[in-house]
Amino acid sequence: MNSKINAAIVGSTGYGGVELLRLLASHPLVEVTSVISSSSAGEPIADGYPHLTEIRTELLDDVNPAAIRAKAEVVFLATPAGVASKLAPQLLAEGLKVIDLSGDFRLKSREVYETWYKKEAAAADDLEKAVFGLAELFGDEVKGVDLISNPGCFPTAALLGLAPAVAEGWIDHKSIIIDAKTGVSGAGRGASLGTHYSEINENFKAYKINQHQHIPEIEQTLSRLAGETVVTTFTTHLVPMTRGIMCTTYANIVGEHSQQDFVDLYNRFYEGRRFVRVRKPGTWPATKEVFGSNYCDIGLMTDERTGRITIVSVIDNLVKGAAGQAIQNLNLMMGWDEGLGLGFVPVYP
């Protein structure tokens, strides 16, 4: 059995960082030795998150790359956009491995990042070095690297739903429309008018129409799979639930392919990838069926009348969409079984 490695979490008081703590507590080969927050340094993490009392009771550390190096070998960055681009190079210079859960290294173009994120982009050399860690598509590329860019939550659900059909050329990529819905935890823990209880309860609303920062991430990856530029219509909605993402995607079918053909294609494409579950024809996944897990469930339905396919993909935005996938990437980075520390079934009901 491999010996344990020590890990640090920067941004440990956000939902992504807290979920990393919860999941890593069950990982057989990882010991979390440093929990770091610039906003809560010197405070026990259990003060803000009492459910972690039995997991971590030490005081939170401040951000110091040299001090992190003395305690850890790998660092998870669960920080807001614009922080990791400055911090990750310092950590890499200390000889640490870095898995970034923010969007700072996902886009290869500095100009595209600055257009969509409205922040200064990471250095071109660092962007080139970073590997996009959508494990089911690029898992082989993350093995042994030092910097992994963890995909966003919406792109994870949308791309896993679309990848086989786009890569095989079975849909017209000019026709792709992605209707995406997320729970409120995707907005983070900070209070805002848009996520206030009385604003979101019994409400359902679209937001960031044609402006969501995950659009270029989705299009960059689909373009790579298609071998040519792909542009999509992507619309996000906020629903009154805590966790979960559902992407309902529509596209025109190219060629003569039945629903069973698509199901067979998806099963072949994801063969051996334990965290993608393709539903039998006529059955549809729901967010509750992946709650608290690292699964992405996918359902498919072709429509002979319209010549289109409907693809429904669901994930837990905090697990497969963030912390769980980061741990999956750590496992692949280290050459371990990708399911280590993630072998739990969804919470239901």
Side-chain angles (χ1 to χ4, degrees), residues 85-252:
S85 61
K86 308 294 190 300
L87 183 56
Q90 301 175 46
L91 297 169
L92 292 169
E94 293 288 339
L96 290 154
K97 293 182 178 294
V98 176
I99 299 173
D100 177 38
L101 280 72
S102 80
D104 284 5
F105 297 97
R106 295 173 189 158
L107 302 177
K108 292 303 182 182
S109 166
R110 300 187 77 245
E111 293 73 22
V112 171
Y113 175 90
E114 291 173 355
T115 296
W116 289 86
Y117 281 83
K118 312 301 182 187
K119 298 180 183 293
E120 182 182 357
D125 288 349
D126 293 321
L127 292 176
E128 183 64 28
K129 183 185 304 180
V131 175
F132 185 65
L134 187 52
E136 282 73 22
L137 303 186
F138 311 120
D140 290 342
E141 298 179 12
V142 306
K143 294 178 179 177
V145 303
D146 293 328
L147 176 59
I148 295 175
S149 178
N150 215 54
C153 51
F154 279 125
T156 295
L159 291 169
L160 290 177
L162 280 164
V166 170
E168 200 68 20
W170 283 18
I171 59 175
D172 177 3
H173 58 69
K174 295 183 178 66
S175 69
I176 295 172
I177 297 173
I178 306 166
D179 182 313
K181 302 170 180 68
T182 184
V184 186
S185 62
R189 202 184 195 198
S192 70
L193 179 62
T195 57
H196 192 285
Y197 177 82
S198 58
E199 297 284 337
I200 189 60
N201 183 49
E202 298 185 41
N203 197 8
F204 183 24
K205 57 185 178 181
Y207 68 101
K208 291 188 178 180
I209 304 296
N210 299 326
Q211 297 179 324
H212 200 287
Q213 68 273 18
H214 287 166
I215 291 173
E217 183 181 340
I218 292 169
E219 294 179 348
Q220 175 181 270
T221 306
L222 291 178
S223 298
R224 178 178 175 183
L225 293 171
E228 58 184 343
T229 300
V230 175
V231 178
T232 65
T233 296
F234 175 74
T235 304
T236 52
H237 305 80
L238 192 63
V239 299
M241 63 183 184
T242 301
R243 292 175 182 247
I245 283 178
M246 174 180 284
C247 286
T248 305
T249 302
Y250 311 92
N252 294 338

